[in-house]
Amino acid sequence: MHKVTLIKGDGIGPSIMDAAVSVIDASGVEIEWEEQHAGLAAQEQFNTPLPDQTLESIHRTRLVFKGPLTTQLGEGFRSINVAMRQEFDLYSNIRPAKSWNGIDSRYHDIDIVVIRENTEGLYAGLEHYIGIKKNIAESIAVITREGTERIIEFAFEYAKKNQRRKVTVAHKANILKFSQGLFLKIAREIAPRYPEIECDERIIDATCMHLVMDPHQFDVIVTTNMFGDILSDLTSGLVGGLGMVPGANIGHDAALFEAVHGSAPDIAGQNIANPVAVLLGGVMMLRHVGEDQAANRITHAVEQIIDEGKYVTPDLNPASRTGTDEMARAIIGAMD
Ligand code: NAD
């Protein structure tokens, strides 16, 4: 029996999380869900976006399955996603984007994994105004040797373990010579330790253009925090959109699984959000704890439902009237 802290989140969160949990429970794996709160929902209920009991639960279970959390724009509390990644030192964010037969996207056979440094860079939270008029603001990008070494090593180890052929280091060391320069320098030190894996270096802007023009040349991409955040939305767009791409946040002592997408306020409450991205986050969690059989059952069922194209949410088929809950029931029905 695995104990997992369950945070349903904001916006479309409760609906996609209920759907995903119903599928995971039907897969035969035994999980004791410990429901906790965070984000806007927690702010409203407990007057804090990250209650102590949520943190205590994660310290106990070390395993989190989380829906998206809303962060207000330019005001309000700091991102709770960023806060949790820092609190539990979840330094590695794995975001795999893979093509699906049943999805008619711009490209086929895409299989790109973005590995994003998850605790420092421009998201370190070091921001301030200069002067009382607040007409000047500064955000400091923190890049450390320790933080960079562990994410570059993680990317190469991931590539090795998963029979990947190439790691692309995406950076902006031509302009940000100190912070991005340090990231690239350390990548160049570590890459020769993995002679079996090709190391490719690319400036981030060119990386974006190449991803759109010819994505097949990419395999694993490792990059700093904000670049990874942006690139993984781009790679989601290559394989059917944000409704299809999961993310794992991995540290030495804890791991948190979610979707790449946010709380999607534009479609919240309509029962039309695609539950697959977060469900695939759940599949990554099952593999993380060695439940490969359940993970395979769910993956095959999702593949079947997407191939058939009948019980899929409108983001995948605009003519469809299938709801979030109905798609989950179809996936459960397709499990062998
Ligand atoms: P978003 O990812 O929520 O939505 C972007 C677009 O994708 C929207 O049009 C939305 O309808 C669509 N979309 C997203 N998920 C979908 C799904 N499962 N099925 C179908 N369509 C889907 O990004 P946003 O609107 O820029 O951000 C909304 C909020 O989410 C913000 O407060 C942001 O801070 C937060 N956010 C949270 C996380 C997280 O919790 N990990 C990640 C990204 C954004």
Side-chain angles (χ1 to χ4, degrees):
M1 172 78 78
H2 305 280
K3 279 197 181 181
V4 176
T5 301
L6 174 69
I7 299 170
K8 292 189 181 175
D10 300 315
I12 59 172
S15 137
I16 56 171
M17 291 302 279
D18 284 344
V21 165
S22 70
V23 176
I24 293 170
D25 282 343
S27 74
V29 67
E30 288 199 27
I31 292 183
E32 187 183 320
W33 303 102
E34 198 170 301
E35 187 171 351
Q36 298 291 344
H37 301 273
L40 212 52
Q43 175 69 34
E44 283 159 11
Q45 206 177 330
F46 303 100
N47 216 18
T48 165
L50 190 51
D52 285 346
Q53 60 261 40
T54 302
L55 290 172
E56 281 161 22
S57 169
I58 301 172
H59 278 292
R60 214 175 27 250
T61 63
R62 308 268 165 198
L63 208 52
V64 188
F65 189 40
K66 186 189 78 61
L69 305 178
T70 297
T71 308
Q72 288 148 311
L73 301 177
E75 56 173 22
F77 54 80
R78 268 192 76 208
S79 163
I80 297 307
N81 293 310
V82 173
M84 282 202 277
R85 290 164 190 159
Q86 289 173 345
E87 167 78 18
F88 296 98
D89 201 20
L90 306 172
Y91 67 91
S92 177
N93 188 192
I94 311 169
R95 294 182 157 185
K98 206 168 185 311
S99 298
W100 297 77
N101 283 337
I103 297 179
D104 187 22
S105 50
R106 191 175 295 266
Y107 296 102
H108 300 285
D109 304 323
I110 300 292
D111 186 1
I112 299 171
V113 180
V114 174
I115 296 188
R116 157 194 180 195
E117 201 294 320
N118 221 13
T119 56
E120 28 184 72
L122 265 173
Y123 290 5
L126 300 177
E127 288 196 298
H128 54 242
Y129 286 112
I130 295 173
I132 48 168
K133 285 191 182 159
K134 297 190 173 178
N135 284 336
I136 301 175
E138 284 184 341
S139 304
I140 299 168
V142 179
I143 301 289
T144 66
R145 171 165 281 278
E146 190 196 359
T148 304
E149 278 177 355
R150 65 182 183 174
I151 194 67
I152 300 286
E153 276 164 7
F154 186 97
F156 278 94
E157 287 295 329
Y158 178 95
K160 201 166 129 182
K161 213 176 294 162
N162 292 281
Q163 289 87 44
R164 298 278 178 161
R165 62 191 158 79
K166 177 156 116 179
V167 172
T168 297
V169 181
H171 64 85
K172 191 71 186 176
N174 52 331
I175 306 293
L176 301 170
K177 292 184 191 292
F178 288 69
S179 54
Q180 291 287 319
L182 180 61
F183 189 81
L184 179 61
K185 177 175 181 282
I186 293 170
R188 286 178 175 169
E189 287 169 12
I190 291 174
R193 282 194 236 149
Y194 298 87
E196 70 278 31
I197 294 160
E198 182 190 343
C199 181
D200 169 42
E201 292 171 8
R202 245 170 248 218
I203 292 173
I204 188 69
D205 26 350
T207 308
C208 292
M209 185 274 292
H210 289 136
L211 273 168
V212 173
M213 299 286 288
D214 178 18
H216 294 105
Q217 61 186 295
F218 292 95
D219 189 352
V220 174
I221 302 174
V222 63
T223 190
T224 50
N225 205 336
M226 189 166 78
F227 292 160
D229 195 9
I230 297 168
L231 275 193
S232 55
D233 266 38
L234 195 163
T235 51
S236 304
L238 299 174
V239 297
L242 282 168
M244 295 304 297
V245 178
N249 301 265
I250 310 284
H252 289 302
D253 300 323
L256 180 152
F257 299 84
E258 60 182 348
V260 163
H261 65 69
S263 55
D266 55 335
I267 56 167
Q270 298 176 38
N271 191 30
I272 56 169
N274 187 343
V276 169
V278 88
L279 174 59
L280 295 175
V283 167
M284 291 177 90
M285 178 177 77
L286 294 178
R287 295 202 190 283
H288 183 76
V289 297
E291 295 283 358
D292 287 309
Q293 211 178 341
N296 290 340
R297 284 189 80 199
I298 297 173
T299 308
H300 293 150
V302 171
E303 275 165 3
Q304 187 182 321
I305 291 306
I306 287 177
D307 272 357
E308 287 169 9
K310 190 169 171 208
Y311 295 108
V312 296
T313 43
D315 56 309
L316 298 183
N317 175 2
S320 166
R321 291 180 175 274
T322 299
T324 307
D325 48 359
E326 202 182 349
M327 186 169 182
R329 282 197 297 275
I331 294 168
I332 292 170
M335 271 195 263
D336 48 45

